[in-house]
Amino acid sequence: MAGIRIDGVEKKFGQATALARIDLDIPDGEFLALLGPSGCGKTTLLRIIAGLETATAGQVFIGDRNVTELQPRQRGIAMVFQNYAVFPHMTVFENVAFGLRMRGAEDAEVKAQVARAAELLHITPYLDRYPAKLSGGQRQRVAVARALAVRPSVLLMDEPLSNLDALLRLEMRTELKAVLAQSGATTIYVTHDQTEAMGLADRIAVMHKGVIEQIDRPQALYERPATRFVGGFLGSPPMNFLDLPVRAGVVELDGFRAAAPGTDRIIAGVRAEDVEIADSGLPFDVRVAEPLGAMLLLSGAVAGQTMRVAARPDMLISAGQRLYLRPDPARIVWIDPATERAVRAAA
């Protein structure tokens, strides 16, 4: 197997910058998710690693090899695409065996590796079928099995579950995590779905406008985002942001008081679940109450600013009520309004 190192990779399309100096080190065997909205550069970075796109500047290393100038077939990688890319005129067996045949594998090895990959992905009963006779989830399993059959040192996956319905996506995510843990391949997984990234990855690199805003373990990103963008992109519902005045190192508003950095104004980043409904505190006017099973999601306003609160599902709360909120001061992420980066509160 092999780790991946990205040194100063940049990509421009004419005058537009798609990637602005990306430095990234992915240890051998790690599952890294590239997470971000459409147009953030995550697929461009994946294609540069694969050799399907040429970097404007910078280098790509797989293991101890500089692969920047190598063709995709020389890089020791396998790739799974969003649209499955299975061959309709081939059976499942032939699809899974394709990469092995292209590498000149002997028949005995082909049969053994196809059988191993098919068992991992639960497609053994379908080896004699053609893709037209399979469901979308089964076709995606075939695409993953084909990639794993060649025992790649690096597996690159470009939004492989985005074409599946919600329930099937959940089932495939669970299976995929177990399969890739067994394979041991270093995996880079591109997605715009933060739930997928949180559930699958060892680490997540959150991308925005061609740069990596933050890279860390999923829970660390969720609890301590480094920027306003990361806090707002991760989580469902996303983090609340309240623009508040600071006086003498303290935020004080309608009965709520907390030590805060800054000398004028500060943005308080607060997760919906880190707010207590109390007898006193921040006045909160409920606009919408949504029963979501595990929680009652309340949307409303604090000091004229939108806020969402996760209440217990058994609470009898409806639109039009006034409640009082107490955010947990230890869970607040303080963000500088000028830089939109997290800052530490005074001790």
Side-chain angles (χ1 to χ4, degrees):
M1 299 302 172
I4 301 169
R5 192 172 86 248
I6 312 299
D7 285 348
V9 164
E10 298 178 5
K11 180 63 180 179
K12 291 187 176 182
F13 295 99
Q15 297 300 311
T17 299
L19 297 173
R21 189 171 179 81
I22 300 293
D23 294 302
L24 189 57
D25 198 350
I26 307 167
D28 181 16
E30 183 176 70
F31 190 128
L32 178 83
L34 297 178
L35 174 67
S38 298
C40 71
K42 57 189 186 295
T43 294
T44 299
L45 179 57
L46 191 79
R47 289 174 62 82
I48 287 172
I49 296 168
L52 301 174
E53 196 77 58
T54 302
T56 305
Q59 296 179 310
V60 177
F61 294 83
I62 295 179
D64 58 0
R65 293 193 306 151
N66 185 338
V67 302
T68 309
E69 304 297 331
L70 297 184
Q71 295 296 312
R73 65 178 181 276
Q74 299 172 304
R75 299 191 179 201
I77 63 168
M79 195 161 181
V80 180
F81 297 92
Q82 178 179 353
N83 61 353
Y84 318 144
V86 293
F87 302 115
H89 62 290
M90 294 182 180
T91 65
V92 169
F93 181 96
E94 291 165 338
N95 265 283
V96 177
F98 181 79
L100 293 162
R101 301 278 194 208
M102 292 295 291
R103 297 182 184 202
E106 299 289 337
D107 284 348
E109 183 186 358
V110 169
K111 290 178 181 178
Q113 295 303 332
V114 170
R116 178 187 68 87
E119 184 176 356
L120 277 175
L121 274 301
H122 308 295
I123 56 172
T124 302
Y126 315 123
L127 287 175
D128 293 330
R129 294 189 189 179
Y130 286 89
K133 300 294 184 181
L134 304 178
S135 68
Q138 289 165 345
R139 288 197 295 273
Q140 192 58 290
R141 287 187 179 92
V142 173
V144 176
R146 183 175 60 197
L148 292 180
V150 298
R151 291 184 177 272
S153 57
V154 171
L155 179 60
L156 307 178
M157 310 187 81
D158 188 7
E159 307 218 38
L161 307 184
S162 62
N163 286 337
L164 305 180
D165 63 53
L167 181 58
L168 189 52
R169 201 157 58 236
L170 176 61
E171 292 174 357
M172 276 294 297
R173 191 169 78 229
T174 302
E175 289 187 15
L176 195 57
K177 185 162 188 171
V179 167
L180 294 179
Q182 291 182 58
S183 79
T186 305
T187 302
I188 302 179
Y189 187 101
V190 163
T191 182
H192 64 273
D193 186 325
Q194 52 99 10
T195 303
E196 269 183 25
M198 294 279 288
L200 285 168
D202 299 318
R203 288 191 303 159
I204 301 172
V206 182
M207 297 189 66
H208 184 221
K209 295 182 178 179
V211 301
I212 294 176
E213 293 255 334
Q214 188 178 359
I215 180 168
D216 210 329
R217 295 175 295 103
Q219 197 62 28
L221 287 175
Y222 184 81
E223 293 178 356
R224 291 294 164 190
T227 68
R228 178 171 181 160
F229 175 81
V230 174
F233 196 79
L234 279 176
S236 182
M239 179 173 272
N240 297 293
F241 297 106
L242 299 176
D243 189 334
L244 302 172
V246 181
R247 296 183 180 87
V250 173
V251 162
E252 192 165 8
L253 181 68
D254 294 319
F256 173 74
R257 192 174 191 276
T263 57
D264 183 19
R265 302 198 69 82
I266 195 71
I267 295 173
V270 184
R271 293 286 181 196
E273 65 269 25
D274 294 331
V275 181
E276 177 189 3
I277 297 174
D279 294 330
S280 62
L282 295 172
F284 174 71
D285 297 314
V286 180
R287 292 175 182 160
V288 178
E290 300 174 82
L292 300 179
M295 68 175 172
L296 177 65
L297 182 62
L298 307 176
S299 299
V302 168
Q305 301 173 71
T306 299
M307 190 161 181
R308 295 181 180 87
V309 177
R312 295 196 322 271
D314 61 342
M315 297 186 77
L316 299 177
I317 299 172
S318 57
Q321 282 186 247
R322 167 160 283 196
L323 306 175
Y324 295 91
L325 307 179
R326 289 193 174 276
D328 180 351
R331 306 281 290 179
I332 294 174
V333 177
W334 300 107
I335 297 170
D336 185 332
T339 65
E340 296 201 334
R341 298 195 67 82
V343 292
R344 291 185 179 275

